[in-house]
Amino acid sequence: MLFSWITLKQSLQETVSLALDAFTTDQRKDWRRTLLLIVTCSVTSLLLSSLLLLYLLFTLDYKLSVAGGITGCFGFLLTSAFLLSKTVRCLGTLFVISVFMKKSRNLLLTAGTSLVVLKNIRNTVENLTRLVRSMICNLKAKKASITAPFSNYINMLKWIGSLLKGVTDLGVVNLQSKLKVSPRIESENFELKLSEAEQKLNETVKNAQALMATVSSVTERLFPAISFLVLMLVIALHIKKFRNNMKYQNRFISRKFVVFDEKQKAEGKPHVLPLTAEEEKLYPFIPSARPTTREGKAVLKFGAPIISHAVTWIIFITVDALLYCFIDFVTKKLSELKPFHVPLMISFKGVATLIGIPFDEETQEKDFSYSVTLFEKQCLPEPELLLYNSLFPLSAILLTLLIMALMAAKVSQLRLMVCERFFATTGDTRVEYLHGKILRRRFKLRKENDCNLKSFILKPQFWCPMLFRPKCDPQSAA
């Protein structure tokens, strides 16, 4: 059982190694390598085609049949391109790796900013709109109810008139009076101002919503496609610089460099390994799990925009949440506020006299009190909070960015290793250039040290230190 497991493990490793070698080279010596190349290219194109399918279905809202047809054609063309060109295979591999590079970081930061702008800022605008509309609604309601207290005053005057009528009826002379009170409020200008304010508010909100809808539509539909094209252009430029410019990121000691140096040493030619402590800082080995100081600085540099964007997102979300809390608090307090009671009590005291002598006294009272509401309940604003709708997507984006920040320093090394694997001839040339560069640097440093030693020997204080003492600075001596 153990022997069969070891055999299976060895055969699996050989198959993976052969498939990797067939994918990164153009050598098709037998049918097995060709079959492995076809399978590897098909799996890779299937992975990339699935991303296109998701984009067409959930972003552009294509039907499944249309999206499936486009994805199938794209997958067939991509598989054919992978089979025919090694450069296209390298481009596709680097595209998958570049998910963890700076461009992908910028894409995720832009996606997070768009999410905050299109959700929280839109919600802030809508809550402000609800607040203003509630104020207009309350003004309209107050305009309709402002005449209600006057009816109490009218009834009060009528009641007083009825009492006075009894007093003025003397039997011989009867004084009759008619009291007519008709309240009227000139409100045409008030209504005009309210209508203008409401119309202007509706136009502003409509324009803001149209602008946000346009930005949202353009961002959701065009941004992924433009980002894909930009990312592919950056990868193509990287491959071009790797193949044509020997100085481009050529400071890492790879396995191929070690083999080349051992070969130089075996042939009796100058070799550079092992490196000095200073050279190990300048030319790190790859792959290496131990982070270096330069890689730590790279992680900090990679994470600085993430921190600044996260702070900006938190500020916008906090403003939206604070506005919601403010409107909700005001709404609750206004709904709990009891109407103001305006007491209006009328007391009438009548005294009947005969020849100046009072003989009858009558007191009458009536309540004409009324209540006034500060804010109409049907006009209270109802704010909306989108805190959780934004936090979950932003948390996923920030978690992905954190993983990318930790892997940022190593991904650049992995990208160089992939290019070296696909373009072996260019990799050998770059190794020879780096090997010669280190040798030239050592020769230059050795020459400078020899010149410094020779100039020191020629100085007279080297031979007669007691007679030729170097002059000291009087300030430093003091």
Side-chain angles (χ1 to χ4, degrees):
M1 182 70 181
L2 181 61
F3 177 75
S4 60
W5 169 252
I6 294 175
T7 305
L8 178 62
K9 185 178 179 181
Q10 290 178 351
S11 61
L12 183 62
Q13 290 178 350
E14 292 177 358
T15 303
V16 172
S17 177
L18 186 61
L20 184 62
D21 185 68
F23 188 76
T24 55
T25 61
D26 282 333
Q27 298 177 2
R28 305 178 188 179
K29 299 178 181 179
D30 52 4
W31 65 270
R32 187 181 178 186
R33 292 175 64 91
T34 304
L35 181 61
L36 287 175
L37 178 62
I38 294 174
V39 173
T40 309
C41 293
S42 301
V43 172
T44 307
S45 63
L46 180 63
L47 174 64
L48 297 176
S49 300
S50 61
L51 298 177
L52 177 62
L53 180 63
L54 295 176
Y55 171 68
L56 295 176
L57 286 177
F58 297 103
T59 303
L60 299 183
D61 296 329
Y62 280 17
K63 293 183 178 180
L64 182 60
S65 58
V66 179
I70 296 175
T71 304
C73 295
F74 175 78
F76 175 76
L77 294 176
L78 190 61
T79 304
S80 304
F82 280 161
L83 290 173
L84 296 176
S85 175
K86 180 177 65 176
T87 305
V88 177
R89 295 198 293 271
C90 179
L91 195 67
T93 306
L94 291 179
F95 174 77
V96 177
I97 296 175
S98 295
V99 172
F100 301 98
M101 298 307 292
K102 292 183 179 179
K103 296 299 178 183
S104 300
R105 176 202 64 185
N106 296 338
L107 300 183
L108 286 176
L109 290 177
T110 306
T113 304
S114 302
L115 181 66
V116 172
V117 170
L118 298 176
K119 282 186 177 291
N120 292 95
I121 296 181
R122 175 187 288 179
N123 187 58
T124 303
V125 173
E126 290 180 354
N127 285 337
L128 286 173
T129 304
R130 293 188 183 100
L131 181 61
V132 176
R133 282 178 175 168
S134 68
M135 296 173 64
I136 295 176
C137 173
N138 188 62
L139 288 175
K140 287 184 176 181
K142 288 303 176 186
K143 168 189 167 293
S145 63
I146 199 170
T147 58
F150 287 98
S151 61
N152 291 1
Y153 289 102
I154 294 170
N155 295 330
M156 181 185 67
L157 293 175
K158 288 181 178 180
W159 180 73
I160 294 174
S162 63
L163 294 178
L164 293 176
K165 184 179 179 181
V167 175
T168 57
D169 189 1
L170 301 178
V172 180
V173 179
N174 186 9
L175 300 177
Q176 293 186 359
S177 62
K178 293 183 179 180
L179 178 64
K180 292 184 178 181
V181 181
S182 58
R184 187 179 65 176
I185 299 176
E186 299 292 340
S187 60
E188 295 181 358
N189 191 21
F190 181 73
E191 291 180 355
L192 182 61
K193 294 293 183 181
L194 280 180
S195 300
E196 290 179 355
E198 187 173 8
Q199 184 178 3
K200 190 173 182 180
L201 176 64
N202 292 333
E203 290 179 356
T204 304
V205 171
K206 186 177 180 180
N207 293 333
Q209 290 178 349
L211 179 61
M212 289 185 179
T214 304
V215 173
S216 175
S217 178
V218 172
T219 303
E220 291 178 356
R221 294 175 180 272
L222 295 182
F223 184 74
I226 295 175
S227 303
F228 170 77
L229 295 176
V230 171
L231 187 59
M232 295 302 290
L233 179 61
V234 171
I235 295 173
L237 290 176
H238 170 76
I239 296 176
K240 182 179 179 181
K241 289 181 180 179
F242 178 85
R243 300 185 66 178
N244 299 330
N245 187 2
M246 296 297 106
K247 297 181 180 180
Y248 178 68
Q249 297 186 3
N250 194 2
R251 58 180 183 86
F252 298 101
I253 306 299
S254 62
R255 178 61 185 169
K256 184 174 287 189
F257 184 94
V258 175
V259 173
F260 178 79
D261 189 75
E262 292 176 353
K263 181 180 178 182
Q264 293 289 102
K265 184 178 180 180
E267 294 178 356
K269 296 180 181 180
H271 62 280
V272 298
L273 297 179
L275 300 177
T276 62
E278 183 181 358
E279 289 175 344
E280 286 182 355
K281 295 180 181 179
L282 295 175
Y283 310 105
F285 285 84
I286 57 172
S288 175
R290 187 180 65 180
T292 61
T293 305
R294 180 175 292 184
E295 291 175 353
K297 293 180 180 179
V299 171
L300 292 177
K301 185 178 179 181
F302 186 90
I306 299 176
I307 297 174
S308 62
H309 279 73
V311 171
T312 306
W313 297 345
I314 292 173
I315 290 174
F316 280 114
I317 294 175
T318 305
V319 169
D320 184 32
L322 289 177
L323 180 63
Y324 168 81
C325 293
F326 171 74
I327 298 177
D328 186 63
F329 176 78
V330 172
T331 301
K332 288 181 179 179
K333 292 301 179 182
L334 290 176
S335 61
E336 295 173 358
L337 190 63
K338 296 182 179 179
F340 292 101
H341 182 70
V342 181
L344 186 59
M345 302 291 295
I346 298 297
S347 176
F348 187 85
K349 184 178 182 180
V351 180
T353 60
L354 180 64
I355 316 175
I357 301 173
F359 66 91
D360 188 17
E361 182 177 342
E362 184 181 3
T363 303
Q364 298 186 24
E365 291 184 357
K366 196 163 186 178
D367 186 8
F368 293 96
S369 303
Y370 59 93
S371 299
V372 177
T373 57
L374 181 63
F375 211 95
E376 300 295 331
K377 291 187 177 181
Q378 67 270 18
C379 295
L380 291 174
E382 296 181 359
E384 187 177 355
L385 181 63
L386 296 179
L387 184 62
Y388 300 104
N389 294 340
S390 300
L391 284 181
F392 288 120
L394 287 179
S395 300
I397 292 176
L398 288 176
L399 180 61
T400 306
L401 289 171
L402 178 61
I403 297 173
M404 289 170 57
L406 297 176
M407 300 182 63
K410 302 300 180 182
V411 170
S412 60
Q413 299 178 9
L414 180 61
R415 192 169 62 175
L416 290 174
M417 293 172 62
V418 169
C419 291
E420 191 178 75
R421 178 85 185 211
F422 274 96
F423 306 103
T425 305
T426 305
D428 294 337
T429 307
R430 289 171 64 89
V431 165
E432 294 178 5
Y433 176 83
L434 181 59
H435 194 273
K437 180 181 178 181
I438 298 175
L439 287 176
R440 290 191 297 271
R441 184 177 180 276
R442 286 185 177 180
F443 177 76
K444 183 179 179 181
L445 292 176
R446 192 181 299 114
K447 188 176 180 180
E448 291 178 356
N449 293 333
D450 292 342
C451 292
N452 292 335
L453 179 62
K454 185 178 180 181
S455 61
F456 183 70
I457 292 175
L458 294 178
K459 290 181 179 180
Q461 60 263 29
F462 177 79
W463 301 102
C464 302
M466 301 298 295
L467 297 177
F468 301 97
R469 286 186 176 183
K471 294 182 179 181
C472 297
D473 190 356
Q475 293 181 357
S476 62

